[in-house]
Amino acid sequence: MATYIKAGIFNTRGIEEEEDYMQPMVYIDEERIEVLNEDEDLVIQFTYEELRGLMAIMAAEQEKQHLFIKASAKNN
């Protein structure tokens, strides 16, 4: 069963204008995740395998940052 959720509001161009903010719709089903803009145009699509890969990269970056902070604290 597919699910639609509203994602967080973000600025599309880095300009602090009200009209530059959007709240994308996220479509989730058993095969993929799609992010749609306000006009329901496809912005980006990930399969679960691609999303797992991105999450693994994010976890590795967080671990690297944690180890850096730990090493810095140990040296001080």
Short mmCIF file of all heavy atoms in Angstrom, two decimals, residues 17-55:
data_model
loop_
_atom_site.label_atom_id
_atom_site.label_comp_id
_atom_site.label_asym_id
_atom_site.label_seq_id
_atom_site.Cartn_x
_atom_site.Cartn_y
_atom_site.Cartn_z
N GLU A 17 13.13 34.56 0.44
CA GLU A 17 11.84 35.04 -0.06
C GLU A 17 10.81 33.96 0.21
O GLU A 17 11.06 32.77 0.03
CB GLU A 17 11.90 35.31 -1.56
CG GLU A 17 12.98 36.27 -1.98
CD GLU A 17 12.50 37.71 -2.03
OE1 GLU A 17 11.29 37.92 -2.15
OE2 GLU A 17 13.35 38.60 -1.95
N GLU A 18 9.65 34.36 0.65
CA GLU A 18 8.58 33.41 1.00
C GLU A 18 8.25 32.47 -0.15
O GLU A 18 8.04 31.29 0.03
CB GLU A 18 7.34 34.19 1.42
CG GLU A 18 6.17 33.32 1.83
CD GLU A 18 6.08 33.11 3.32
OE1 GLU A 18 6.79 33.79 4.08
OE2 GLU A 18 5.30 32.26 3.71
N GLU A 19 8.21 33.00 -1.39
CA GLU A 19 7.82 32.17 -2.53
C GLU A 19 8.88 31.15 -2.92
O GLU A 19 8.63 30.26 -3.73
CB GLU A 19 7.46 33.04 -3.74
CG GLU A 19 8.58 33.88 -4.28
CD GLU A 19 8.65 35.26 -3.64
OE1 GLU A 19 7.92 35.54 -2.70
OE2 GLU A 19 9.46 36.07 -4.12
N ASP A 20 10.09 31.24 -2.36
CA ASP A 20 11.15 30.29 -2.67
C ASP A 20 11.10 29.04 -1.79
O ASP A 20 11.90 28.14 -1.95
CB ASP A 20 12.52 30.95 -2.54
CG ASP A 20 12.74 31.97 -3.63
OD1 ASP A 20 12.29 31.72 -4.77
OD2 ASP A 20 13.33 33.01 -3.35
N TYR A 21 10.17 29.01 -0.85
CA TYR A 21 10.03 27.85 0.02
C TYR A 21 9.00 26.89 -0.55
O TYR A 21 8.01 27.31 -1.14
CB TYR A 21 9.62 28.28 1.43
CG TYR A 21 10.76 28.90 2.20
CD1 TYR A 21 11.06 30.24 2.05
CD2 TYR A 21 11.54 28.13 3.05
CE1 TYR A 21 12.11 30.82 2.75
CE2 TYR A 21 12.59 28.69 3.75
CZ TYR A 21 12.86 30.04 3.59
OH TYR A 21 13.90 30.59 4.28
N MET A 22 9.26 25.61 -0.38
CA MET A 22 8.29 24.61 -0.84
C MET A 22 8.18 23.49 0.20
O MET A 22 9.08 23.30 1.00
CB MET A 22 8.68 24.03 -2.19
CG MET A 22 9.96 23.22 -2.20
SD MET A 22 10.32 22.44 -3.78
CE MET A 22 9.18 21.10 -3.78
N GLN A 23 7.07 22.79 0.17
CA GLN A 23 6.88 21.64 1.03
C GLN A 23 6.58 20.46 0.10
O GLN A 23 5.46 20.29 -0.36
CB GLN A 23 5.74 21.85 2.01
CG GLN A 23 5.60 20.69 2.98
CD GLN A 23 4.56 20.97 4.04
OE1 GLN A 23 3.71 21.82 3.89
NE2 GLN A 23 4.65 20.24 5.12
N PRO A 24 7.60 19.65 -0.19
CA PRO A 24 7.40 18.56 -1.14
C PRO A 24 6.53 17.44 -0.59
O PRO A 24 6.40 17.27 0.62
CB PRO A 24 8.82 18.06 -1.40
CG PRO A 24 9.59 18.48 -0.21
CD PRO A 24 8.95 19.71 0.31
N MET A 25 5.93 16.70 -1.50
CA MET A 25 5.16 15.52 -1.16
C MET A 25 6.08 14.32 -1.40
O MET A 25 6.78 14.26 -2.40
CB MET A 25 3.93 15.42 -2.06
CG MET A 25 3.07 14.22 -1.80
SD MET A 25 2.13 14.37 -0.28
CE MET A 25 0.91 15.57 -0.76
N VAL A 26 6.09 13.38 -0.47
CA VAL A 26 6.92 12.19 -0.60
C VAL A 26 6.00 10.99 -0.78
O VAL A 26 5.10 10.75 0.03
CB VAL A 26 7.82 11.99 0.64
CG1 VAL A 26 8.67 10.74 0.49
CG2 VAL A 26 8.70 13.21 0.85
N TYR A 27 6.21 10.27 -1.87
CA TYR A 27 5.44 9.08 -2.19
C TYR A 27 6.29 7.86 -1.85
O TYR A 27 7.45 7.77 -2.25
CB TYR A 27 5.09 9.06 -3.69
CG TYR A 27 4.50 7.78 -4.19
CD1 TYR A 27 3.16 7.49 -3.98
CD2 TYR A 27 5.28 6.84 -4.85
CE1 TYR A 27 2.61 6.31 -4.45
CE2 TYR A 27 4.74 5.66 -5.32
CZ TYR A 27 3.41 5.40 -5.12
OH TYR A 27 2.87 4.23 -5.57
N ILE A 28 5.74 6.95 -1.09
CA ILE A 28 6.47 5.76 -0.65
C ILE A 28 5.65 4.53 -1.00
O ILE A 28 4.48 4.42 -0.62
CB ILE A 28 6.71 5.79 0.88
CG1 ILE A 28 7.44 7.07 1.27
CG2 ILE A 28 7.47 4.56 1.33
CD1 ILE A 28 7.45 7.33 2.76
N ASP A 29 6.25 3.60 -1.73
CA ASP A 29 5.61 2.30 -1.96
C ASP A 29 6.63 1.20 -1.74
O ASP A 29 7.71 1.44 -1.23
CB ASP A 29 4.93 2.22 -3.33
CG ASP A 29 5.90 2.19 -4.50
OD1 ASP A 29 7.10 1.95 -4.31
OD2 ASP A 29 5.44 2.40 -5.64
N GLU A 30 6.30 -0.02 -2.10
CA GLU A 30 7.17 -1.15 -1.80
C GLU A 30 8.43 -1.20 -2.66
O GLU A 30 9.35 -1.96 -2.39
CB GLU A 30 6.41 -2.48 -1.92
CG GLU A 30 5.90 -2.80 -3.31
CD GLU A 30 4.57 -2.13 -3.64
OE1 GLU A 30 3.96 -1.50 -2.75
OE2 GLU A 30 4.15 -2.22 -4.80
N GLU A 31 8.52 -0.37 -3.70
CA GLU A 31 9.68 -0.41 -4.60
C GLU A 31 10.53 0.85 -4.59
O GLU A 31 11.72 0.79 -4.86
CB GLU A 31 9.20 -0.64 -6.04
CG GLU A 31 8.53 -1.98 -6.23
CD GLU A 31 8.02 -2.16 -7.64
OE1 GLU A 31 8.32 -1.30 -8.51
OE2 GLU A 31 7.33 -3.15 -7.87
N ARG A 32 9.94 1.99 -4.26
CA ARG A 32 10.68 3.24 -4.40
C ARG A 32 10.13 4.33 -3.50
O ARG A 32 9.05 4.22 -2.95
CB ARG A 32 10.64 3.70 -5.84
CG ARG A 32 9.25 4.09 -6.29
CD ARG A 32 9.19 4.32 -7.80
NE ARG A 32 7.84 4.53 -8.25
CZ ARG A 32 6.94 3.58 -8.46
NH1 ARG A 32 7.26 2.32 -8.27
NH2 ARG A 32 5.74 3.86 -8.87
N ILE A 33 10.91 5.39 -3.42
CA ILE A 33 10.53 6.63 -2.75
C ILE A 33 10.67 7.73 -3.78
O ILE A 33 11.71 7.84 -4.44
CB ILE A 33 11.43 6.89 -1.54
CG1 ILE A 33 11.22 5.81 -0.49
CG2 ILE A 33 11.18 8.28 -0.97
CD1 ILE A 33 12.19 5.88 0.65
N GLU A 34 9.63 8.54 -3.93
CA GLU A 34 9.66 9.65 -4.88
C GLU A 34 9.37 10.94 -4.13
O GLU A 34 8.51 10.98 -3.26
CB GLU A 34 8.61 9.47 -5.97
CG GLU A 34 8.84 8.28 -6.85
CD GLU A 34 7.75 8.11 -7.90
OE1 GLU A 34 6.67 8.71 -7.77
OE2 GLU A 34 8.00 7.35 -8.84
N VAL A 35 10.07 11.99 -4.51
CA VAL A 35 9.80 13.32 -3.97
C VAL A 35 9.19 14.13 -5.10
O VAL A 35 9.76 14.25 -6.18
CB VAL A 35 11.08 13.99 -3.43
CG1 VAL A 35 10.78 15.39 -2.93
CG2 VAL A 35 11.71 13.13 -2.34
N LEU A 36 8.02 14.70 -4.84
CA LEU A 36 7.29 15.47 -5.83
C LEU A 36 7.20 16.92 -5.38
O LEU A 36 7.02 17.19 -4.19
CB LEU A 36 5.87 14.92 -6.01
CG LEU A 36 5.76 13.41 -6.23
CD1 LEU A 36 4.31 12.97 -6.16
CD2 LEU A 36 6.38 13.02 -7.55
N ASN A 37 7.31 17.86 -6.32
CA ASN A 37 7.17 19.27 -5.95
C ASN A 37 5.69 19.62 -5.81
O ASN A 37 4.82 18.75 -5.92
CB ASN A 37 7.91 20.19 -6.92
CG ASN A 37 7.32 20.19 -8.31
OD1 ASN A 37 6.22 19.70 -8.55
ND2 ASN A 37 8.05 20.75 -9.25
N GLU A 38 5.41 20.90 -5.59
CA GLU A 38 4.03 21.33 -5.37
C GLU A 38 3.13 21.09 -6.57
O GLU A 38 1.91 20.96 -6.43
CB GLU A 38 4.01 22.80 -4.97
CG GLU A 38 4.65 23.01 -3.62
CD GLU A 38 5.33 24.36 -3.50
OE1 GLU A 38 5.74 24.92 -4.54
OE2 GLU A 38 5.45 24.83 -2.37
N ASP A 39 3.72 21.02 -7.77
CA ASP A 39 2.94 20.75 -8.98
C ASP A 39 2.86 19.25 -9.27
O ASP A 39 2.41 18.85 -10.34
CB ASP A 39 3.57 21.45 -10.18
CG ASP A 39 3.59 22.96 -10.01
OD1 ASP A 39 2.63 23.49 -9.41
OD2 ASP A 39 4.56 23.59 -10.46
N GLU A 40 3.33 18.44 -8.33
CA GLU A 40 3.37 16.99 -8.42
C GLU A 40 4.28 16.50 -9.55
O GLU A 40 4.08 15.43 -10.12
CB GLU A 40 1.96 16.39 -8.52
CG GLU A 40 1.14 16.64 -7.27
CD GLU A 40 -0.16 15.87 -7.22
OE1 GLU A 40 -0.35 14.96 -8.06
OE2 GLU A 40 -0.96 16.18 -6.35
N ASP A 41 5.29 17.31 -9.88
CA ASP A 41 6.33 16.89 -10.81
C ASP A 41 7.39 16.13 -10.02
O ASP A 41 7.72 16.50 -8.89
CB ASP A 41 6.99 18.09 -11.49
CG ASP A 41 6.01 18.87 -12.35
OD1 ASP A 41 5.11 18.25 -12.94
OD2 ASP A 41 6.15 20.11 -12.42
N LEU A 42 7.95 15.10 -10.62
CA LEU A 42 8.97 14.30 -9.97
C LEU A 42 10.25 15.12 -9.81
O LEU A 42 10.76 15.68 -10.77
CB LEU A 42 9.26 13.04 -10.78
CG LEU A 42 10.29 12.08 -10.21
CD1 LEU A 42 9.80 11.48 -8.89
CD2 LEU A 42 10.60 10.97 -11.21
N VAL A 43 10.75 15.19 -8.57
CA VAL A 43 11.99 15.90 -8.29
C VAL A 43 13.13 14.89 -8.21
O VAL A 43 14.18 15.07 -8.80
CB VAL A 43 11.89 16.71 -6.98
CG1 VAL A 43 13.22 17.33 -6.62
CG2 VAL A 43 10.80 17.76 -7.09
N ILE A 44 12.92 13.81 -7.45
CA ILE A 44 13.93 12.78 -7.29
C ILE A 44 13.25 11.47 -6.94
O ILE A 44 12.17 11.45 -6.35
CB ILE A 44 14.98 13.19 -6.23
CG1 ILE A 44 16.21 12.29 -6.31
CG2 ILE A 44 14.38 13.19 -4.85
CD1 ILE A 44 17.40 12.87 -5.59
N GLN A 45 13.89 10.38 -7.32
CA GLN A 45 13.36 9.05 -7.03
C GLN A 45 14.50 8.15 -6.59
O GLN A 45 15.58 8.18 -7.17
CB GLN A 45 12.70 8.47 -8.28
CG GLN A 45 12.23 7.04 -8.13
CD GLN A 45 11.59 6.54 -9.41
OE1 GLN A 45 10.68 7.17 -9.92
NE2 GLN A 45 12.08 5.45 -9.94
N PHE A 46 14.28 7.36 -5.53
CA PHE A 46 15.25 6.39 -5.04
C PHE A 46 14.59 5.04 -4.92
O PHE A 46 13.46 4.95 -4.47
CB PHE A 46 15.77 6.76 -3.64
CG PHE A 46 16.57 8.02 -3.58
CD1 PHE A 46 16.08 9.14 -2.95
CD2 PHE A 46 17.85 8.07 -4.13
CE1 PHE A 46 16.83 10.30 -2.87
CE2 PHE A 46 18.59 9.22 -4.05
CZ PHE A 46 18.07 10.34 -3.43
N THR A 47 15.33 4.00 -5.29
CA THR A 47 14.90 2.66 -4.90
C THR A 47 15.36 2.44 -3.47
O THR A 47 16.19 3.21 -2.95
CB THR A 47 15.53 1.58 -5.80
OG1 THR A 47 16.94 1.60 -5.61
CG2 THR A 47 15.18 1.79 -7.27
N TYR A 48 14.85 1.43 -2.82
CA TYR A 48 15.27 1.18 -1.44
C TYR A 48 16.75 0.85 -1.35
O TYR A 48 17.41 1.22 -0.40
CB TYR A 48 14.41 0.09 -0.79
CG TYR A 48 13.04 0.60 -0.44
CD1 TYR A 48 11.91 0.06 -1.00
CD2 TYR A 48 12.89 1.67 0.45
CE1 TYR A 48 10.65 0.55 -0.67
CE2 TYR A 48 11.65 2.17 0.76
CZ TYR A 48 10.53 1.60 0.20
OH TYR A 48 9.30 2.09 0.52
N GLU A 49 17.29 0.15 -2.35
CA GLU A 49 18.71 -0.17 -2.36
C GLU A 49 19.55 1.10 -2.43
O GLU A 49 20.56 1.24 -1.73
CB GLU A 49 19.06 -1.10 -3.52
CG GLU A 49 18.47 -2.49 -3.41
CD GLU A 49 17.00 -2.57 -3.79
OE1 GLU A 49 16.49 -1.65 -4.48
OE2 GLU A 49 16.35 -3.54 -3.39
N GLU A 50 19.14 2.05 -3.27
CA GLU A 50 19.85 3.32 -3.37
C GLU A 50 19.75 4.10 -2.06
O GLU A 50 20.74 4.67 -1.58
CB GLU A 50 19.28 4.16 -4.51
CG GLU A 50 19.55 3.58 -5.88
CD GLU A 50 18.74 4.23 -6.97
OE1 GLU A 50 17.63 4.72 -6.72
OE2 GLU A 50 19.24 4.24 -8.11
N LEU A 51 18.58 4.09 -1.46
CA LEU A 51 18.39 4.81 -0.20
C LEU A 51 19.22 4.19 0.92
O LEU A 51 19.83 4.90 1.71
CB LEU A 51 16.91 4.83 0.18
CG LEU A 51 16.55 5.67 1.39
CD1 LEU A 51 16.94 7.12 1.19
CD2 LEU A 51 15.06 5.55 1.68
N ARG A 52 19.29 2.88 0.97
CA ARG A 52 20.13 2.21 1.97
C ARG A 52 21.59 2.59 1.77
O ARG A 52 22.33 2.79 2.74
CB ARG A 52 19.95 0.70 1.91
CG ARG A 52 18.72 0.21 2.64
CD ARG A 52 18.79 -1.29 2.86
NE ARG A 52 18.60 -2.04 1.64
CZ ARG A 52 17.43 -2.49 1.21
NH1 ARG A 52 16.34 -2.26 1.89
NH2 ARG A 52 17.34 -3.18 0.09
N GLY A 53 22.04 2.68 0.53
CA GLY A 53 23.41 3.09 0.26
C GLY A 53 23.68 4.51 0.75
O GLY A 53 24.71 4.78 1.36
N LEU A 54 22.74 5.42 0.49
CA LEU A 54 22.89 6.80 0.96
C LEU A 54 22.92 6.85 2.49
O LEU A 54 23.72 7.58 3.08
CB LEU A 54 21.75 7.67 0.44
CG LEU A 54 21.78 7.96 -1.05
CD1 LEU A 54 20.49 8.64 -1.48
CD2 LEU A 54 22.97 8.82 -1.40
N MET A 55 22.07 6.07 3.12
CA MET A 55 22.04 6.06 4.59
C MET A 55 23.33 5.48 5.16
O MET A 55 23.81 5.94 6.21
CB MET A 55 20.81 5.29 5.07
CG MET A 55 19.52 6.04 4.75
SD MET A 55 18.03 5.10 5.13
CE MET A 55 18.15 4.98 6.90
#
